[in-house]
Amino acid sequence: MREPGTTKTVLLTLLSLIPIGVVGALVFAWSGLYSVAASSGHYPLVERFLAFGMKNSVQTQSFLVAVPQNFGTAAQIALGAGHFEAGCAPCHGAPGRRANPIVQKMRPAPPKLAPRIASWRDRELFWIVKHGIKYAGMPAWAGRNRDDEVWAVAAFLRKLPELFPEDYLSLARGNVEASPAPPEQVLRSGPQRSDIGACARCHGDGKRPPTSDLVPRLAGQKERYLLDALRAYAAGTRESGIMQPVAAVLSKEQLIQLASFYSGLAPHQAAEPESVSEALVSEGEAIARQGKRTSGLPPCVSCHRPGSSRSYPLIAGQPAAYIAGQLRLFRDDHRSNTATGAIMAAIARRLSDRDIDAVAAWLSRQPQSLRPLKLSTRDATKEASSP
Amino acid sequence: MRREARAALVLCVVIAVGGCAGIQSALAPESEGARRVATLSWVLFGGGSAILALMLALMWLALRGSARMRGVLSRHATVIGGGLVFPIVTLAALLGYGFVLMAAADAEKSAFVSGGEPLHVSVIGERWWWRVVYEDAGEMPIASANEIRVPVGRPVRFSLTTEDVIHSFWVPRLSGKIDMIPGRANTLTISAEKAGVYRGQCAEYCGGAHALMSFYVVALEPSEFEAWISRIREPAQAPQSPKAERGGELFLTNGCGACHTIRGTDADGSLGPDLTHVGSRLSLAAAALPTSKAALARWIAHNQTIKPENLMPPFRNLPAEELDLIATYLEGLK
């Protein structure tokens, strides 16, 4: 046995080391002897330690994320590709294209992604895109409550390693040919780029329809609604990590011109409808045309028709995936910050998942010019209201 | 000190007695049925007070009475008589009185039916308003909301049911309350004795806006009632000014007709109250606001602030001029 005083002495000595350590660290930081230079990089051991911590953090933090059932659809991949081109490729590069040399001098340098995708689970890809990575310069997703968009990017990332440069280009640039700019133009305004804010890449133009069923068809839409939507994106009252960054950099005049341009186009041919049961489609017709009394649902076509308020969009002929996605955002109170969004959110709260799928399926099969059958609605509501 | 105490007592009494009057007081009955309820209430109040006084007196005797008095109180016979016989007799008498009242109500109902064809009105409880249907107002039932007009002296047979949860129909000055149960129709027959405005209230908690689910019963002289019912049988009157006409267009383009009916127009929704004659009703939104142009405009845009959780979406997107036009139109629907 040791003498009675020894244990106490050891403990006291250890305790006194703590303030000495703290003061030492402060003195070290104060001295500026440690270099924060990005040029010199990390020591190999530090580098390994940081990578170890990051990998484990992503694994643990994403543990409870549930991968949605429809993960990996073509529509998600196309939408994700469109955003990747604008939001990710400038730093991470893309198939057939190196990242900006300035960005490559960041520490840590944004990695080339294709070879690394396989080492992450779906939920981990989602988590990184949604939350970003502290101290690494990887930003978090720009729109709150838009997990649907984040999943689209994750779906694209999963696909990324398989893509040859030409596949990538046709996916990411969709409909826009990136013709090289003439030297005169390069001289004045830099090389013509089709990245951020090229609406037509995703939304199409006078000739081509949108690239993804998760992207709304703007051609022939009400001008006022388009302008309201662009302004809401720019102000952040309608949230989207994809549209907010695009709209926020446009001038007031540009917003007006773009709304006017798209509303002036002839509507595109309807998207290929998703195959669903006929029963579901006719259920959707009943809700869209007559509403659903037991759930307190008014008919969609009362407001969503040509000739109604200029702030109410035409929704017939939009892809089912887009309609259903937006209805879920309304229902879950993620699109209720605008005045018109609050109206729709109050109604969408009464929709079941099946109602949403049914209505989306039927509306996607209708022409944009859909109008209510006034007489048939009148009879139906009369029947429903008699006690 | 004494004077203050007396003043405070008088004030309390005045405040309490103030509750006996008013358009929603069960203690100011204006129909046979409500009077029976009021009489029963007074018998209970009186009897209860007398018993309370008796008990206080006995307690005082038990504490301060003479030895002989305490002896009497602790006798076996006193305990049996006061603790067992007295409550049984009293409660049995009250029960008998209740039966007599119920029999009187039944007799009255059949007297009503034999005495004259009652007016038939259906009232359907909704979250959180009252759908009113005058079943025999003409060839077709006439729908209205949140206000029931009845002729003085003529029995009115209410069919009471609900579209969603349990509500309770209570117009204290005209009748006792009766629940509205999903899947069945309860019947209540009322005959108002005096012309006037009576307030009713949902008396069964039914969710968020329950406290703001009220209505008015307006009793009219028979001739006035006939004039009124023949007027509401008509479709909505055409807008009387260019402003009102524009308001009517805005009502339709903004989709209001998806939930509201205005007979004679394309608005044919039936989820919300019928607005064909909304401008002639005393109140908006189940007596949440008195009807006026300003109140209509406020309701359309800010209804969630006025009556939180009600099922109408807030139309904050409408600019003030358009709200004013729509309100002008609706107020003109007399």
Side-chain angles (χ1 to χ4, degrees), chain A residues 177-246:
Chain A
E177 301 113 40
S179 53
E184 174 73 1
Q185 192 182 325
V186 177
L187 188 78
R188 298 191 194 289
S189 36
Q192 167 118 39
R193 300 185 54 119
S194 70
D195 52 12
I196 299 181
C199 315
R201 259 187 330 99
C202 295
H203 288 288
D205 53 22
K207 285 171 256 168
R208 281 152 297 208
T211 51
S212 163
D213 280 354
L214 290 167
V215 173
R217 303 180 153 236
L218 306 182
Q221 183 57 275
K222 291 180 190 173
E223 184 174 352
R224 178 78 218 182
Y225 168 74
L226 290 178
L227 185 56
D228 285 350
L230 281 169
R231 285 176 175 164
Y233 279 133
T237 46
R238 181 169 171 188
E239 303 209 50
S240 163
I242 296 175
M243 279 305 294
Q244 259 174 274
V246 172

Side-chain angles (χ1 to χ4, degrees), chain A residues 69-108:
Chain A
Q69 278 181 342
N70 64 352
F71 179 69
T73 61
Q76 280 178 328
I77 292 169
L79 175 62
H83 180 75
F84 184 90
E85 170 75 358
C88 315
C91 290
H92 287 287
R97 183 161 12 124
R98 295 164 74 97
N100 184 317
I102 298 176
V103 166
Q104 281 308 308
K105 287 297 176 187
M106 287 171 70
R107 191 66 54 201

Side-chain angles (χ1 to χ4, degrees), chain A residues 1 4 25 58 106 146 155 198-199 210 249 262 264 285 296 304 326 328 339:
Chain A
M1 277 305 286
V58 173
M106 287 171 70
R146 288 308 303 267
C199 315
V249 297
Y262 273 109
E285 174 171 15
H304 298 285
Q326 295 298 308
R328 289 195 167 89

Side-chain angles (χ1 to χ4, degrees), chain A residues 293 296-299 302-303 305 307-309 312 339-340 342-343 346-347 350 374 377-378 381 385 387, chain B residues 124 126 131 135 163 252-255 257-259 265-266 268-271 311-317:
Chain A
R293 199 175 164 73
L297 286 173
S302 294
C303 292
R305 60 181 166 87
S308 70
S309 164
Y312 297 164
T340 42
I343 300 174
I347 296 162
R350 305 164 199 171
K374 208 63 213 182
T377 12
R378 200 169 282 168
T381 44
S385 66
Chain B
I124 297 135
E126 305 258 358
R131 189 187 296 276
E135 298 288 359
E163 185 87 334
L252 293 175
T253 54
N254 282 290
C259 296
T265 73
D266 278 346
D268 59 1
S270 59
L271 292 173
L311 297 184
M312 174 163 160
F315 289 78
R316 283 184 280 119
N317 59 315

Side-chain angles (χ1 to χ4, degrees), chain B residues 40-255:
Chain B
L40 176 62
S41 306
W42 284 119
V43 168
L44 285 174
F45 293 153
S49 307
I51 292 170
L52 179 68
L54 178 68
M55 293 317 293
L56 289 174
L58 289 177
M59 199 157 77
W60 189 84
L61 285 178
L63 292 170
R64 299 285 176 86
S66 64
R68 202 175 66 85
M69 191 51 81
R70 286 192 304 219
V72 171
L73 280 180
S74 59
R75 239 185 254 157
H76 217 77
T78 317
V79 174
I80 299 283
L84 221 55
V85 178
F86 178 72
I88 290 174
V89 170
T90 314
L91 292 176
L94 271 177
L95 186 65
Y97 180 44
F99 284 145
V100 170
L101 286 187
M102 280 167 68
D106 283 344
E108 189 181 55
K109 206 186 288 176
S110 46
F112 276 153
V113 175
S114 60
E117 190 55 28
L119 182 72
H120 185 195
V121 179
S122 295
V123 182
I124 297 135
E126 305 258 358
R127 286 175 304 164
W128 287 271
W129 57 283
W130 312 82
R131 189 187 296 276
V132 177
V133 182
Y134 297 89
E135 298 288 359
D136 46 13
E139 287 153 30
M140 278 202 2
I142 300 292
S144 183
N146 300 329
E147 186 168 305
I148 305 164
R149 301 213 173 192
V150 299
V152 170
R154 179 171 165 197
V156 183
R157 185 161 60 84
F158 288 103
S159 298
L160 305 170
T161 182
T162 168
E163 185 87 334
D164 36 59
V165 297
I166 299 178
H167 301 276
S168 188
F169 181 89
W170 192 26
V171 193
R173 294 188 70 187
L174 297 180
S175 168
K177 76 185 179 87
I178 184 161
D179 280 2
M180 305 166 111
I181 311 284
R184 63 168 286 157
N186 280 335
T187 313
L188 177 72
T189 308
I190 290 180
S191 176
E193 290 168 355
K194 220 168 82 181
V197 177
Y198 306 94
R199 197 169 188 276
Q201 166 81 47
C202 178
E204 177 68 48
Y205 180 70
C206 56
H210 161 71
L212 291 173
M213 180 171 169
S214 304
F215 62 104
Y216 288 107
V217 174
V218 181
L220 299 170
E221 294 302 338
S223 58
E224 280 179 61
F225 178 79
E226 285 310 319
W228 175 80
I229 198 118
S230 63
R231 193 159 55 75
I232 68 147
R233 228 177 268 150
E234 300 298 317
Q237 70 182 58
Q240 301 294 304
S241 68
K243 266 183 86 179
E245 197 173 334
R246 180 83 191 102
E249 285 162 25
L250 286 169
F251 184 88
L252 293 175
T253 54
N254 282 290

Side-chain angles (χ1 to χ4, degrees), chain A residues 124-323:
Chain A
E124 292 164 348
L125 291 175
F126 168 86
W127 192 91
I128 295 171
V129 175
K130 178 170 177 179
H131 295 287
I133 298 171
K134 237 186 263 189
Y135 309 130
M138 170 71 188
W141 193 252
R144 284 178 312 150
N145 300 318
R146 288 308 303 267
D147 288 0
D148 56 322
E149 294 179 334
V150 179
W151 280 114
V153 173
F156 167 76
L157 289 175
R158 185 53 76 217
K159 189 85 181 162
L160 179 66
E162 306 165 19
L163 296 177
F164 289 104
E166 49 277 22
D167 304 330
Y168 171 76
L169 277 183
S170 73
L171 255 181
R173 297 203 169 171
N175 304 294
V176 174
E177 301 113 40
S179 53
E184 174 73 1
Q185 192 182 325
V186 177
L187 188 78
R188 298 191 194 289
S189 36
Q192 167 118 39
R193 300 185 54 119
S194 70
D195 52 12
I196 299 181
C199 315
R201 259 187 330 99
C202 295
H203 288 288
D205 53 22
K207 285 171 256 168
R208 281 152 297 208
T211 51
S212 163
D213 280 354
L214 290 167
V215 173
R217 303 180 153 236
L218 306 182
Q221 183 57 275
K222 291 180 190 173
E223 184 174 352
R224 178 78 218 182
Y225 168 74
L226 290 178
L227 185 56
D228 285 350
L230 281 169
R231 285 176 175 164
Y233 279 133
T237 46
R238 181 169 171 188
E239 303 209 50
S240 163
I242 296 175
M243 279 305 294
Q244 259 174 274
V246 172
V249 297
L250 295 170
S251 72
K252 284 176 187 169
E253 294 72 31
Q254 286 170 327
L255 297 179
I256 294 172
Q257 287 159 359
L258 288 168
S260 157
F261 170 77
Y262 273 109
S263 74
L265 297 180
H268 295 297
Q269 217 179 351
E272 186 66 26
E274 292 171 23
S275 65
V276 292
S277 74
E278 275 311 304
L280 192 70
V281 177
S282 55
E283 220 173 279
E285 174 171 15
I287 297 175
R289 284 204 184 282
Q290 293 147 33
K292 189 170 172 187
R293 199 175 164 73
T294 46
S295 311
L297 286 173
C300 312
V301 293
S302 294
C303 292
H304 298 285
R305 60 181 166 87
S308 70
S309 164
R310 298 178 303 152
S311 305
Y312 297 164
L314 302 172
I315 52 172
Q318 294 291 339
Y322 174 73
I323 299 175

